[in-house]
Amino acid sequence: MTIERILELISKKHPETDLTIVKLAFEFAKEAHKGQKRQSGEDYIQHILETTYKLAEMNIDIPTIIAGLLHDVPEETKFTLDEIKKNFGREVASLVEGITKVGSIKYRGLERYAENLRKMFVAIAEDVRVVFIKFADRIHNLKTLYALRPVKQQRIAKESLEIYAPIANRLGMSELQNELEDLAFPYVYPEEYKWVIKISKKKYEERRGDANKIIKKVWQKMSEINLVPLSVYGRAKRYYSLYNKLLRKDMDIDRIYDLVALRIITKNADECYRVLGAIHSFWKPVSGRVKDYIAQPKPNGYQSLHTTVYCDDKIVEFQIKTKEMDEEAEWGIAAHWAFKSASNKNATRIPIDPEKLKWIKGLLNQREKIQMPEEYLEKLKIDFFKHRIFVFTPKGDVIDLPENATPIDFAYHIHTYIGSHAIGAKINTKMATLDASLKNGDMIEILIDKKRAKPSEEWLFTTQTHLAKDKIKQALKENRIGIFRLFNR
Ligand code: MN
């Protein structure tokens, strides 16, 4: 990969964009990572370029592209976040900072943590563009996963499958979801992967051949009735998605009709319905398989008309949608970061339809005490979560605390009794002191002593929450009164 290819891709899509600052960011990154190698033996800058190319493919705005080029600088080089801020501004710096923060979240492979981790991931990112960069970064890491130790391979692949891919799904980014899943699949389920390849190889070839014949027929029939679509193409189902569908269909590949689905892209929604009508007049629909996701979009915003028809002796699924619906299905909310118009020199963001953000909204609604102003959501800035960390109870519940919170803050958050009887703590199953500083994703267990333990005045200096401080003061006061009474009897 080269910077020229990235610049070419951006200017092909947006000829008028000023790329000077992108070039500067590249020079900065190249200098910072000079001499560094990846485990795979490649120069480190290759990882940076591959990550950034993916972002350029996503048609994302320039600050995100620049942050992509700089995403590993604070963690992996001698240059700091402050230097990034000085050279490239606050917006880029805060995106890079977000990347560093989400990097601290690690999946320990416990099923019950998964959903909480997904929420944490998005919350900590603070800006959804950070999630896009992390996805692009992760895709290249998966492509070079072979170079890592098996233990690390497993963690990264599982995390991609259980945390990243479901987030991509909920953000409606099916292209990225598929890519993450298919790259992680062979590492997480090697036997199943081999099996799926074996049973589907011939079928795919057959169905591709069928699809090409049907596409010709579609063009022919559509032109006969003067209803010409923008494009018609076949789309092969990805392996991991096929595997999951097989699990639901008794492992019978003949019951999977969208192994190669046919997509018809039209100018507008009205034409989608006319095309659907036309398809049904040429070929008999399979009953119960017509779905109108245009009138009723899926929860992640997916829109399309689906139908399955008998084409001669074959059963084929058609997906009919507009160009916008198609782009959004591939890139989800990232599609909204596309440049508004090529004539505008500055990258402009199209405001996000809050309806598309139901999942993120759901995450925020859980925090009933705090009201989120609507405009924050539109910008996808989740500022409330700034300076907060998320930690786990041994049962997998998530507790959010201020930065630098200690096990004592955690203990009082759980229950006053636990707080005032704490004698020690385990962080990620290792013994730790009660004044330790907690980090994102830590699992905390509090050890208590019902008889001897009591709050200490020193706790007041290390705790961060008002709750803990108030409870400690109260307990100290009660103790003092107790002592006072003892001496004045
Ligand atoms: Mn990276």
Side-chain angles (χ1 to χ4, degrees), residues 38 44 47-48 51 68 71-72 76 99 134 137-138 141:
R38 299 272 291 175
Y44 205 99
H47 165 68
I48 301 301
T51 302
H71 83 270
D72 275 333
E76 305 287 340
I99 289 295
K134 198 64 200 170
D137 171 61
R138 178 51 60 99
N141 285 341

Side-chain angles (χ1 to χ4, degrees), residues 91-208:
E91 186 178 9
V92 169
S94 93
L95 290 171
V96 175
E97 190 185 11
I99 289 295
T100 314
K101 277 195 199 163
V102 296
S104 70
I105 302 171
K106 302 254 183 314
Y107 182 49
R108 278 186 291 267
L110 283 170
E111 206 56 49
R112 62 172 188 260
Y113 287 140
E115 183 58 21
N116 284 330
L117 267 179
R118 285 173 209 138
K119 287 176 181 163
M120 263 171 65
F121 186 93
V122 176
I124 290 167
E126 287 173 17
D127 182 327
V128 161
R129 291 176 297 170
V130 170
V131 179
F132 304 156
I133 302 170
K134 198 64 200 170
F135 283 164
D137 171 61
R138 178 51 60 99
I139 281 171
H140 186 251
N141 285 341
L142 285 169
K143 283 181 181 166
T144 51
L145 204 56
Y146 59 86
L148 303 187
R149 284 178 296 119
V151 180
K152 228 174 162 189
Q153 283 179 348
Q154 283 301 313
R155 184 187 62 76
I156 292 174
K158 270 204 189 106
E159 196 173 82
S160 305
L161 219 49
E162 305 295 337
I163 309 298
Y164 288 49
I167 293 173
N169 174 285
R170 284 179 222 189
L171 296 176
M173 307 167 88
S174 68
E175 181 58 33
L176 281 178
Q177 180 197 355
N178 285 326
E179 216 170 337
L180 288 162
E181 286 175 346
D182 273 15
L183 287 166
F185 186 23
Y187 290 95
V188 182
Y189 303 109
E191 293 306 315
E192 290 83 347
Y193 174 75
K194 278 180 217 147
W195 175 78
V196 168
I197 300 278
K198 206 176 111 197
I199 67 151
S200 64
K201 213 174 161 234
K202 250 187 91 189
K203 287 277 173 201
Y204 269 121
E205 280 164 26
E206 264 175 47
R207 301 274 179 101
R208 276 207 189 89

